[in-house]
Amino acid sequence: MSSLPGNAALSAGHCEHPILKILQVKVKPNARASVLVAQHDGTWLAQVAAPPVEGLANEALIALVAKHFGVRRAQVRIKSGASGG
């Protein structure tokens, strides 16, 4: 994972047709604390404490997005970006 913008896809809801929301997220690994903040341009800034090795920052991003939006981690995936596809 790098500090380049990537996309995280978030599906939420327990209905037949879940809500799908695409977030454009700039990720900064090795932060002091993990936070997710909306930016004025509609994108998000995610600072994750995990280092960008062996998928740790990706997992931290997924956990952070899931917690912020109140969904399960399994409902969040990285669509593109470093190791996202």
Side-chain angles (χ1 to χ4, degrees):
M1 170 146 329
S2 68
S3 61
L4 297 175
N7 291 318
L10 169 70
S11 62
H14 301 284
C15 59
E16 230 175 78
H17 304 284
I19 299 166
L20 180 65
K21 180 159 179 115
I22 307 293
L23 304 175
Q24 184 173 357
V25 181
K26 181 175 183 178
V27 181
K28 293 187 176 182
N30 292 321
R32 289 184 183 212
S34 294
V35 294
L36 183 63
V37 180
Q39 303 296 292
H40 295 278
D41 62 0
T43 63
W44 293 81
L45 174 62
Q47 296 179 340
V48 294
V53 294
E54 298 181 10
L56 294 176
N58 288 346
E59 287 300 316
L61 174 63
I62 289 169
L64 183 63
V65 170
K67 181 178 179 181
H68 183 86
F69 289 99
V71 298
R72 296 185 322 263
R73 286 186 289 177
Q75 292 177 281
V76 179
R77 68 180 175 91
I78 296 174
K79 181 178 176 186
S80 65
S83 300

